[in-house]
Amino acid sequence: LAKTTQPISMDSYEGQEVNITCSHNNIATNDYITWYQQFPSQGPRFIIQGYKTKVTNEVASLFIPADRKSSTLSLPRVSLSDTAVYYCLVGAYNAGNMLTFGGGTRLMVKP
Amino acid sequence: DARVTQTPRHKVTEMGQEVTMRCQPILGHNTVFWYRQTMMQGLELLAYFRNRAPLDDSGMPKDRFSAEMPDATLATLKIQPSEPRDSAVYFCASGLGPGINQPQHFGDGTRLSIL
C-alpha cells in the first residue's frame, strides 16, 4: 500500500495560490490519488481525484508528474473559508481498510 | 444538494450501555462506509458495504461493534457494551461506485462520549 507524506501545516494569505504536495513513492499501477478537505465539526469533503498528468475542476487542480511518486493540490486565490485540513489518499478500488487518510495538512489562511 | 444524514449528532452515555448510530446514505448510492476519527488515530475505516452486503469490516472490533444495512436507506453501527475508549466522532459516507477509492460523500458525524 502506498504510504503518503504531507506537510503537517501550511500558512497562506487571502488571494494567494496554495500548493500542497503529497509524496507517495511506492504508488502502485492501479492506485488513484484523491484529495479531501475537512472543516471542524464536519465530515471530509471530496475535492478532486486523478491518475496522471493534470486534473482541474471548479475548486482545485491536481498535478501529477509522469513518475506519479508525488502529487500537488493547487488551490487558486484562497480565502479565509479555505482554512481546513487537507488529506491526500492513494489507493486502488480494492484497497479495503488499507486506504487510510493519514494526518493531513492543516492549512491556515490569514487575512 | 444531496447529503448523507447521520443521527444522533451527539451522544453521551455511560460505559456499558448500548449505542446505536444511524446513517441515511445519499439516495441511489450503493456503497456505504463507516469511519471513526480521534485525535490520536485520525480517520480509521471500520467497515464498508456494497449493495447492503459487508465487503470489509476488518477495521472494526468484532467483539463489541456490529454494522448492518437493514435496507438501502439505512445503515447502523452498534456498540455493545460501550467503553470510554470508544469515544470518538463516527462518520458515515456513501458512494456510487464499487471501490474503496471512489469519491466518498460524508455525513457530519456522530460525536460519541462514553463516560
Side-chain angles (χ1 to χ4, degrees):
Chain A
L1 181 76
K3 175 179 164 53
T4 61
T5 303
Q6 302 175 235
I8 293 175
S9 64
M10 294 180 67
D11 288 345
S12 183
Y13 291 92
E14 281 189 292
Q16 288 189 335
E17 178 184 76
V18 170
N19 296 308
I20 306 174
T21 297
C22 180
S23 298
H24 28 81
N25 290 321
N26 58 340
I27 189 169
T29 303
N30 294 331
D31 287 346
Y32 278 73
I33 300 157
T34 312
W35 285 81
Y36 286 83
Q37 173 192 55
Q38 186 177 25
F39 298 114
S41 301
Q42 294 186 22
R45 183 173 73 99
F46 170 82
I47 301 175
I48 198 166
Q49 185 179 66
Y51 184 80
K52 62 180 179 180
T53 63
K54 177 184 174 183
V55 180
T56 297
N57 61 22
E58 66 277 7
V59 177
S61 295
L62 178 60
F63 298 92
I64 306 169
D67 66 6
R68 305 203 321 126
K69 293 183 183 298
S70 67
S71 58
T72 299
L73 175 72
S74 181
L75 305 172
R77 298 180 300 281
V78 294
S79 63
L80 297 177
S81 63
D82 292 315
T83 294
V85 178
Y86 292 82
Y87 295 96
C88 161
L89 278 73
V90 174
Y93 77 97
N94 60 348
N97 75 334
M98 302 291 282
L99 188 70
T100 57
F101 272 73
T105 297
R106 188 172 300 274
L107 173 66
M108 173 70 73
V109 180
K110 302 175 182 178
Chain B
D1 193 19
R3 296 175 59 84
V4 172
T5 303
Q6 291 187 247
T7 56
R9 289 297 313 278
H10 299 90
K11 176 75 174 180
V12 180
T13 192
E14 292 187 344
M15 180 175 62
Q17 297 297 305
E18 177 178 295
V19 174
T20 299
M21 291 168 275
R22 293 177 173 80
C23 168
Q24 181 176 355
I26 292 173
L27 188 64
H29 282 192
N30 296 324
T31 309
V32 174
F33 307 84
W34 281 106
Y35 289 87
R36 173 171 64 184
Q37 186 172 39
T38 61
M39 289 293 293
M40 294 299 295
Q41 299 296 327
L43 264 165
E44 304 172 277
L45 178 66
L46 297 175
Y48 73 104
F49 291 75
R50 175 70 179 167
N51 293 326
R52 297 175 55 198
L55 285 189
D56 190 333
D57 60 2
S58 57
M60 199 167 65
K62 301 293 193 307
D63 56 338
R64 298 183 299 107
F65 285 61
S66 62
E68 297 179 339
M69 282 200 72
D71 61 61
T73 65
L74 176 65
T76 62
L77 180 65
K78 291 186 181 180
I79 308 174
Q80 170 62 22
S82 58
E83 298 180 4
R85 59 179 168 153
D86 300 329
S87 297
V89 181
Y90 290 81
F91 289 104
C92 172
S94 69
L96 270 173
I100 184 72
N101 66 344
Q102 64 178 291
Q104 299 178 27
H105 301 261
F106 283 76
D108 285 335
T110 294
R111 184 174 296 276
L112 178 64
S113 296
I114 308 297
L115 306 177

